[in-house]
Amino acid sequence: MTQDRNPKDTAVRGVRRVRAATPQGNMWRAIRGLGAFTYRDVAMHANTSSVPVSEGAARDYCRMLANAGYLRVERKAQPKGRLAVYRLVRDTGPRPPREKRVRAVWDDNRGEYAYIAGGVA
């Protein structure tokens, strides 16, 4: 009697599962390794031939992490070309924080969410 096995159930101990490289993963690894940095530093360290990371993507990722409390602004940007300098203050591990879009229903009459997909309203 043979059973169909799920490949995930037959993992060999000591063998790590390799995840595909992503721009967010590359940027997060770069941020974790840098001290104080600008978004250009992140783009330069995270960009590879197989996973390109633009300066715009690095800028947006740094802003998102700063807004979420992962990065502290060490020096504010200046209009004449001086870039903001960031420092990682909340290192939660090797997996990159990601922005998620959540499907929800907002009720303007009641001023509250009537439904949040996968959650409780």
Side-chain angles (χ1 to χ4, degrees):
M1 179 176 190
T2 61
Q3 292 179 337
D4 291 332
R5 289 184 161 190
N6 183 341
K8 292 180 182 177
D9 294 338
T10 60
V12 178
R13 287 183 189 222
V15 175
R16 295 181 124 194
R17 200 164 157 209
V18 177
R19 288 191 168 86
T22 64
Q24 292 85 5
N26 285 5
M27 288 186 282
W28 182 243
R29 276 187 293 283
I31 287 168
R32 290 179 75 210
L34 295 167
F37 56 88
T38 68
Y39 72 82
R40 284 189 180 152
D41 297 328
V42 173
M44 184 176 61
H45 284 83
N47 191 36
T48 66
S49 59
S50 60
V51 182
V53 175
S54 69
E55 285 187 0
R59 182 189 61 237
D60 293 345
Y61 193 65
C62 288
R63 282 182 184 163
M64 186 265 302
L65 291 177
N67 289 336
Y70 288 90
L71 303 180
R72 177 178 67 227
V73 178
E74 295 268 304
R75 185 184 75 202
K76 290 185 177 186
Q78 296 293 321
K80 296 198 182 213
R82 193 169 94 174
L83 302 176
V85 175
Y86 301 98
R87 183 174 299 277
L88 181 64
V89 292
R90 193 166 130 204
D91 185 352
T92 56
R95 293 183 182 166
R98 302 179 285 143
E99 186 173 31
K100 295 280 223 165
R101 301 204 186 268
V102 178
R103 292 188 53 102
V105 176
W106 175 258
D107 185 336
D108 278 323
N109 299 302
R110 299 186 68 188
E112 64 184 32
Y113 286 100
Y115 171 78
I116 300 174
V120 179

